[in-house]
């Protein structure tokens, strides 16, 4: 049995989605998400994309929190105080997840985290598929996939920057 099957990626993702229905973010992360939402609304030609980005960021953030619930607190330390987001660190963690060593960022085995991120990204895209897919050519759909993927991963990395691995 694989690590992903042993831990239950579906359960991990379900817990993340349930957590996203609460107010799961720290004050600094919540402010950051709002800033991203406002910036994306100004930047995007279709404001719904900004809403989707903010949702994807939140669910990615909650996936990391869901992982935290499965490890011992002695494995985690709070990030240095200051109440501000270290965007450079968040981006570096995002890049490690995307193209580097996801195991250096994840709390659970990298295979599990990557499978959970993939499942969450797939779910976010499936929610848009019925209403949008037939309106987009393949290149535009691929661009949307990349956009949603980046925001999910960015949300995970945002939370990872707040709770560092010891």
């Amino acid at each position: 049995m694989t690590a992903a099957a042993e831990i239950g990626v579906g359960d991990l993702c379900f817990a993340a989605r349930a957590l996203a229905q609460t107010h799961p973010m720290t004050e600094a992360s919540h402010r950051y998400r709002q800033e991203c939402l406002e910036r994306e609304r100004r930047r995007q030609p279709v404001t719904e994309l900004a809403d989707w980005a903010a949702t994807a960021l939140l669910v990615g953030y909650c996936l990391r929190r869901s992982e935290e619930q499965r490890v011992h607190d002695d494995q985690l330390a709070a990030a240095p105080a200051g109440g501000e987001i270290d965007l450079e660190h968040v981006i570096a963690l995002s890049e490690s997840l995307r193209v580097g060593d996801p195991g250096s960022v994840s709390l659970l085995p990298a295979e599990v985290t990557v499978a959970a991120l993939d499942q969450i990204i797939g779910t976010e895209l499936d929610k848009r598929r019925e209403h949008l897919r037939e309106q987009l050519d393949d290149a535009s759909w691929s661009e949307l996939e990349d956009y949603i993927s980046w925001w999910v991963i960015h949300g995970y990395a945002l939370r990872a920057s707040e709770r560092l691995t010891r």
Side-chain angles (χ1 to χ4, degrees), residues 1 4 16 18 27 40 43 51 54 64 80 88 99 103 106 112-113 120 127 131 143 148-149 154-155 162:
M1 185 177 270
E27 187 176 325
E40 288 299 298
R43 192 178 82 78
D51 297 333
R64 174 60 181 225
E88 287 181 22
V99 295
S106 65
V112 173
T113 299
I120 284 176
K127 292 187 321 190
H131 303 289
E143 194 174 312
I148 295 297
S149 297
H154 192 68
E162 292 178 336

Side-chain angles (χ1 to χ4, degrees), residues 72-125:
H72 297 288
D73 275 342
D74 62 354
Q75 290 179 276
L76 300 172
E84 295 303 316
I85 301 301
D86 180 351
L87 187 55
E88 287 181 22
H89 187 230
V90 175
I91 290 171
L93 292 173
S94 297
E95 288 303 303
S96 289
L97 284 164
R98 288 182 59 245
V99 295
D101 176 15
S104 68
V105 181
S106 65
L107 298 173
L108 298 174
E111 166 191 335
V112 173
T113 299
V114 170
L117 286 166
D118 285 346
Q119 184 170 326
I120 284 176
I121 291 164
T123 300
E124 288 302 306
L125 289 166

Side-chain angles (χ1 to χ4, degrees), residues 32-92:
Y32 176 73
R33 179 177 178 253
Q34 287 304 114
E35 291 166 7
C36 289
L37 175 62
E38 291 166 13
R39 184 179 60 247
E40 288 299 298
R41 281 188 176 153
R42 289 188 304 271
R43 192 178 82 78
Q44 292 295 344
V46 179
T47 58
E48 282 180 318
L49 292 173
D51 297 333
W52 299 346
T55 298
L57 183 143
L58 176 62
V59 179
Y61 184 96
C62 290
L63 175 61
R64 174 60 181 225
R65 294 234 8 229
S66 182
E67 279 189 336
E68 290 170 9
Q69 293 171 351
R70 287 163 173 76
V71 300
H72 297 288
D73 275 342
D74 62 354
Q75 290 179 276
L76 300 172
E84 295 303 316
I85 301 301
D86 180 351
L87 187 55
E88 287 181 22
H89 187 230
V90 175
I91 290 171

